[in-house]
Amino acid sequence: MEKVNVTMTAEEQAQFEAFKKQQEKEAAAKRRKENRAAYAQIVDEQIAAAIPELRELSAKIKEVKATVFGNFEEVLKMKAEVMGLTQEGQRSHTFTHSNGNLRLTLGVNTIDGYRDTVEDGITMVKQYIQSLAVDDNSRALVNTVLRLLSRDQQGNIKASRVLQLRKMADETGNEQFIEGVKIIEESYQPATTKQFIRAEYKDDKGTWKIVPLSVTDVE
């Protein structure tokens, strides 16, 4: 095909260049729109494929969890009979295989909670502790004890700290301190959340390894 040379004025050349730029801009915008549409379609396809599989996995985990807890109901009863123990207050049970290479822990998560009477106990403890602050050394001790009464994000005192307070109270022998801690202990009313299972095994080097049972833990 014979090439045709077209002569344009400066104004016509400028208009032609502007026209070409506009066309290129519109073409680029069209490509971006098509790419966004393709991206959205791929996302939809992958979500539609992943969710059913994850729901199936979740249902399977739920089924296995229920089976394991069901199978161990009789074991827990036998444990109570054989060991002469009650299951009240025990929130987890650990079982180790006789070969020493397998270990299973069944339990329930709890959140520390207290009845309103806990405030009376806290007040009694604080009054006694603050009365001891007579010099720098005693003030440091007072601050340490008061930190044990600090609350978590839910506004509760950690049960482990109450145990430390009990030990301190018994060591002092002070009736007000002991009574205050006793009230705190009697106010304890933990709330159970969800049952959990922790499965472990020993690898070839004899190191305990946790079996990952959540999507987050699996690598």
Side-chain angles (χ1 to χ4, degrees):
M1 184 175 179
E2 184 178 353
K3 185 176 181 181
V4 178
N5 293 322
V6 179
T7 302
M8 292 184 289
T9 65
E11 182 180 353
E12 291 173 332
Q13 181 68 31
Q15 291 176 345
F16 178 69
E17 293 296 333
F19 173 73
K20 285 203 308 181
K21 288 182 179 179
Q22 182 61 30
Q23 281 190 319
E24 291 172 356
K25 182 178 179 181
E26 291 176 355
K30 183 180 179 181
R31 286 195 300 272
R32 289 195 297 271
K33 183 178 180 180
E34 291 173 347
N35 289 339
R36 288 195 297 269
Y39 167 76
Q41 182 179 354
I42 292 174
V43 170
D44 288 347
E45 291 173 353
Q46 294 305 319
I47 290 176
I51 295 300
E53 290 189 15
L54 292 172
R55 289 186 65 184
E56 183 178 346
L57 173 62
S58 178
K60 184 63 177 177
I61 291 175
K62 181 178 180 180
E63 178 185 346
V64 172
K65 181 179 179 180
T67 299
V68 171
F69 272 97
N71 291 341
F72 271 84
E73 282 185 6
E74 191 63 31
V75 175
L76 290 173
K77 291 179 182 178
M78 291 181 64
K79 176 183 177 181
E81 293 175 0
V82 172
M83 303 296 181
L85 303 172
T86 61
Q87 296 184 36
E88 296 181 4
Q90 188 169 357
R91 302 187 185 92
S92 67
H93 301 268
T94 299
F95 304 94
T96 304
H97 194 282
S98 57
N99 64 18
N101 294 325
L102 302 172
R103 188 162 62 193
L104 189 69
T105 301
L106 307 179
V108 58
N109 291 314
T110 60
I111 299 175
D112 290 334
Y114 295 85
R115 294 187 293 275
D116 293 341
T117 50
V118 70
E119 300 301 333
D120 299 324
I122 291 174
T123 299
M124 289 181 67
V125 171
K126 282 187 174 181
Q127 287 178 346
Y128 167 70
I129 293 300
Q130 290 171 343
S131 70
L132 301 178
V134 294
D135 54 36
D136 290 342
N137 290 333
S138 57
R139 287 192 188 94
L141 175 61
V142 167
N143 290 334
T144 299
V145 176
L146 291 179
R147 277 196 292 271
L148 294 177
L149 291 171
S150 61
R151 301 172 187 267
D152 59 21
Q153 294 180 346
Q154 285 72 43
N156 293 316
I157 303 171
K158 290 187 177 297
S160 58
R161 292 178 177 175
V162 177
L163 292 176
Q164 291 178 268
L165 282 172
R166 160 58 61 190
K167 183 178 179 181
M168 290 182 177
D170 290 340
E171 288 176 350
T172 63
N174 181 273
E175 292 184 4
Q176 180 180 346
F177 193 3
I178 293 173
E179 182 66 17
V181 174
K182 184 178 180 181
I183 293 174
I184 294 174
E185 291 175 329
E186 292 175 349
S187 302
Y188 186 57
Q189 194 173 47
T192 59
T193 55
K194 296 181 179 180
Q195 292 178 315
F196 70 86
I197 296 175
R198 184 169 63 248
E200 301 169 274
Y201 67 95
K202 281 187 178 179
D203 61 15
D204 296 338
K205 297 180 180 179
T207 302
W208 283 108
K209 298 290 185 179
I210 295 177
V211 180
L213 297 176
S214 75
V215 174
T216 303
D217 294 332
V218 175
E219 297 181 355

